[in-house]
Amino acid sequence: MASKRRPYWGTFGPPTSLVLYRTPDGWRYAVHFTGPAGIADGTLAGPPPSIEPDIAQAALVQKAEELTHRRLDVLWHAPDQPHWWTGTVTVAGPLPPA
């Protein structure tokens, strides 16, 4: 009998924003969603804390696309705090078929 459960990424609403911040140990992130899932957060594996922010931003967009199974366009805003960047998801592509 086939399962009627939706894949985990199908339970997320579309992502609305990304937050990226540098710590001495690495880059931390949060992806904010509409809907019941709320927020996914963690540490970016790969880019060292010394890397330029635009490289870490690209790594975060890639991570968010992997989490959501959607193509994302993100508009990054000028930082209003040191080592802290926010991006608005301007386009979230469609979910793949389940």
Side-chain angles (χ1 to χ4, degrees):
M1 177 176 205
S3 172
K4 300 227 187 241
R5 293 183 62 195
R6 291 173 43 185
Y8 78 90
W9 43 266
T11 63
F12 295 144
T16 57
S17 63
L18 308 178
V19 177
L20 177 69
Y21 55 101
R22 186 188 333 233
T23 69
D25 298 326
W27 292 92
R28 303 266 316 155
Y29 71 88
V31 180
H32 297 255
F33 298 92
T34 59
I39 298 173
D41 64 348
T43 303
L44 284 179
S50 60
I51 203 80
E52 292 298 316
D54 58 331
I55 296 171
Q57 289 169 349
L60 176 51
V61 170
Q62 181 179 0
K63 176 69 174 180
E65 288 177 340
E66 291 170 5
L67 283 172
T68 62
H69 291 249
R70 298 172 185 250
R71 164 103 170 74
L72 303 176
D73 290 338
V74 178
L75 173 64
W76 290 98
H77 307 285
D80 58 356
Q81 299 177 47
H83 309 288
W84 191 279
W85 296 265
T86 57
T88 302
V89 176
T90 57
V91 176
L95 285 171

